[in-house]
């Protein structure tokens, strides 16, 4: 696995799904996994609950963004870690370029 892409969710499941769609559309010639840490969102993980190709990690309490990132990093299997904000959109094959 080349890259583990990690998001932290707190009531932004639709934003994350849009970001993931852009990653899938524009990423070629490298392997990646997508992990979403739900940081104890009041409404739960929402539509991410059964999303295909996304590994959902439930954080039982919200200790902040950094703690959510660390939880995701602990579960990641990629050679590299990429932390993305939910509003990030890929417009080209940036992941392969970074590798």
């Amino acid at each position: 696995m080349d890259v583990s892409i990690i998001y932290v969710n707190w009531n932004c499941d639709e934003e994350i799904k849009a970001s993931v769609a852009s990653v899938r559309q524009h990423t070629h010639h490298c392997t990646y996994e997508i992990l979403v840490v739900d940081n104890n969102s009041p409404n739960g993980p929402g539509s991410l609950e059964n999303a295909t190709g996304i590994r959902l990690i439930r954080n039982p309490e919200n200790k902040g963004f950094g703690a959510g990132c660390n939880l995701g990093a602990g579960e990641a299997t990629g050679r590299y870690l990429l932390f993305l904000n939910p509003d990030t959109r890929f417009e080209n094959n940036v992941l392969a370029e970074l590798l």
Side-chain angles (χ1 to χ4, degrees), residues 19-30 32 89-97:
S19 180
V20 167
S22 76
V23 169
R24 289 178 176 157
Q25 178 183 358
H26 294 289
T27 301
H28 313 286
H29 311 298
C30 62
Y32 62 91
R89 302 295 183 270
F90 282 18
E91 295 182 357
N92 57 32
N93 194 15
V94 67
L95 204 54
E97 291 178 31

Side-chain angles (χ1 to χ4, degrees), residues 6-95:
I6 302 168
Y7 294 92
V8 177
N9 177 53
W10 199 83
N11 288 338
C12 54
D13 58 309
E14 292 302 321
E15 283 287 320
I16 291 174
K17 284 180 71 175
S19 180
V20 167
S22 76
V23 169
R24 289 178 176 157
Q25 178 183 358
H26 294 289
T27 301
H28 313 286
H29 311 298
C30 62
T31 58
Y32 62 91
E33 66 178 346
I34 298 172
L35 296 88
V36 175
V37 177
D38 182 64
N39 229 6
N40 200 28
S41 297
N43 298 329
S47 60
L48 298 168
E49 181 77 44
N50 298 311
T52 303
I54 294 175
R55 186 160 32 133
L56 181 63
I57 302 163
R58 292 178 179 266
N59 194 354
E61 56 184 315
N62 186 344
K63 292 185 177 179
F65 179 75
C69 289
N70 288 335
L71 183 58
E75 297 288 324
T77 63
R79 182 173 177 201
Y80 301 103
L81 303 177
L82 177 63
F83 298 95
L84 291 181
N85 287 329
D87 61 350
T88 303
R89 302 295 183 270
F90 282 18
E91 295 182 357
N92 57 32
N93 194 15
V94 67
L95 204 54

